[in-house]
Amino acid sequence: MKKRICSVIMAALCMFAFTACNAETGSSESSDTVNNSSSTGNTDSSDENSSTVEKMPEKVTIAALNGPTGMGMVKLMDDDEQSDYGYDFILAGAADEITPRLIKGEIDIACVPANLAAVLYSKTSGEIQTLAVNTLGVLYIVENGNTVNSVADLKGKTVYSAGKGATPEYALNFILKSNNIFDDVKIEWKSEHAECLAALEANPNAVAMLPQPFVTTAMSKNENTRVAVDLNDAWDDLNLSSSLLTGVIIVRKSFAEEYPAAVNQFMSRYGESVKFVNENVTDAAQLVGKYEIVPAAVAEKAIPNCHIVCITGAEMKEKLSGYLQVLYDQLPASVGGAMPGDDFYYGA
């Protein structure tokens, strides 16, 4: 599986940096994004009263996980190949491949589990900000058979799952505790979702918690595999004021402060990518296959159930803070020991 995609050749990078550094900004007073009609990254210079030159980075390193977070970005990745935006993309199998490099400043923008964003905010003394919610709940309990039809039916079962220390663990634990069966369910943690899928294939009696598109992959390989519980429904059944979230986009605060135009430009392009993926499923699936996230045929079936979004500003803050509060009330360490401050929510 391709771990790193970099489409920028040095000559184009140099031209991008030269062009971007000489671009003038527009005069928009309220927009959260900049005009992205130019592939070189120039901002609108039509305002005669504006002469400010926006500082642009030579390169922006962006990381995502192999799954819905990476799937929402595929159109942007393809556009970058065609137009040389100056983006360096990294696709990883697990969040712990991203976080050390993010903390070191080697990654500028990353798609990570929602609670991990809060943990990193705490660990870096506020150096992490959230740009957007990019994935709603995508977790499902699947089995080979028909023994589980509700959360209560997990009692006495072993559930294979990846994502220990991140959203999958805390979401599942919360739901099990809320249904009073936490002590009656054994969770066997794997390092990646692909390992859970392998366990499900090898054991006809296995139960696994998987996100999309791995759910679709499992069902395509075994006709007896079925979705037993949608964790979105299980969460909603608890009548909470929050929603189940899976992933967010974060940025290093120092990067955002130094290159605000680049951050806004990225968000505009990412929003367009998400819109394309949701509205052009067949074409988007081909791109997902191209970047070896999952095969195109799997992606085409999975995308409608991946809940890929781009929620920013006040709505992002409301949804994310509500979700983090639920986790904090359950286990403060799951969000870094304390709820993030207002500066955690970029543009809110």
Side-chain angles (χ1 to χ4, degrees):
M1 181 174 294
K2 186 180 297 180
K3 294 289 183 179
R4 185 178 182 93
I5 303 168
C6 179
S7 65
V8 183
I9 60 174
M10 187 61 68
L13 239 174
C14 293
M15 182 168 291
F16 173 83
F18 176 82
T19 304
C21 288
N22 285 279
E24 295 181 349
T25 62
S27 59
S28 173
E29 297 178 353
S30 61
S31 174
D32 287 336
T33 59
V34 297
N35 189 323
N36 71 336
S37 60
S38 172
S39 64
T40 61
N42 292 351
T43 52
D44 186 5
S45 59
S46 61
D47 187 346
E48 296 178 357
N49 296 320
S50 176
S51 59
T52 303
V53 176
E54 290 285 0
K55 184 178 181 181
M56 299 292 285
E58 185 174 292
K59 180 181 68 173
V60 183
T61 303
I62 303 161
L65 299 177
N66 283 315
T69 60
M71 291 165 69
M73 203 176 286
V74 290
K75 182 61 166 63
L76 177 56
M77 295 164 68
D78 187 61
D79 288 346
D80 177 57
E81 282 195 32
Q82 307 301 321
S83 303
D84 294 335
Y85 292 151
Y87 295 157
D88 184 2
F89 290 99
I90 298 169
L91 291 175
D96 58 10
E97 298 176 39
I98 294 175
T99 52
R101 298 185 61 184
L102 186 69
I103 293 172
K104 292 177 183 178
E106 297 174 355
I107 291 173
D108 304 310
I109 296 172
C111 302
V112 300
N115 79 292
L116 179 58
V119 172
L120 290 172
Y121 171 86
S122 177
K123 284 186 175 181
T124 61
S125 301
E127 170 59 13
I128 295 299
Q129 292 182 299
T130 299
L131 297 173
V133 171
N134 68 344
T135 319
L136 301 179
V138 295
L139 294 170
Y140 301 85
I141 300 295
V142 298
E143 69 163 341
N144 297 322
N146 194 33
T147 64
V148 177
N149 293 285
S150 68
V151 174
D153 291 336
L154 292 174
K155 185 175 181 178
K157 298 282 189 180
T158 296
V159 178
Y160 295 97
S161 180
K164 184 173 178 58
T167 297
E169 178 183 12
Y170 299 119
L172 180 58
N173 285 354
F174 177 73
I175 289 172
L176 294 178
K177 288 177 180 178
S178 298
N179 283 270
N180 299 314
I181 60 169
F182 177 75
D183 293 330
D184 300 309
V185 178
K186 179 181 178 182
I187 305 173
E188 187 168 325
W189 294 103
K190 302 294 186 180
S191 60
E192 294 189 14
H193 298 301
E195 294 181 32
C196 301
L197 187 60
L200 194 66
E201 293 174 11
N203 183 355
N205 298 315
V207 176
M209 182 172 70
L210 293 169
Q212 287 288 4
F214 295 96
V215 172
T216 299
T217 299
M219 295 175 68
S220 67
K221 291 185 175 182
N222 186 342
E223 62 180 11
N224 294 319
T225 300
R226 54 179 283 274
V227 172
V229 178
D230 181 336
L231 262 65
N232 289 290
D233 294 338
W235 188 280
D236 292 342
D237 286 344
L238 299 175
N239 296 316
L240 305 170
S241 59
S242 64
S243 300
L244 177 60
L245 304 180
T246 298
V248 297
I249 305 176
I250 59 176
V251 63
R252 290 188 297 107
K253 185 177 182 180
S254 56
F255 180 87
E257 291 177 342
E258 186 173 5
Y259 304 110
V263 172
N264 290 339
Q265 189 177 73
F266 165 80
M267 286 307 301
S268 178
R269 290 167 173 166
Y270 179 79
E272 288 299 316
S273 182
V274 168
K275 182 179 179 181
F276 176 88
V277 169
N278 286 325
E279 294 181 357
N280 302 273
V281 174
T282 299
D283 292 339
Q286 294 301 313
L287 292 177
V288 172
K290 170 184 175 181
Y291 293 111
E292 299 183 4
I293 296 174
V294 293
V298 172
E300 186 165 0
K301 294 179 180 179
I303 287 173
N305 298 310
C306 284
H307 305 301
I308 298 168
V309 297
C310 183
I311 301 173
T312 61
E315 185 181 359
M316 172 265 290
K317 181 179 180 181
E318 179 182 8
K319 288 184 178 295
L320 180 55
S321 62
Y323 173 70
L324 294 177
Q325 186 67 56
V326 169
L327 298 188
Y328 175 79
D329 292 343
Q330 175 194 188
L331 181 65
S334 66
V335 299
M339 286 291 290
D342 288 342
D343 61 327
F344 176 63
Y345 305 96
Y346 184 91

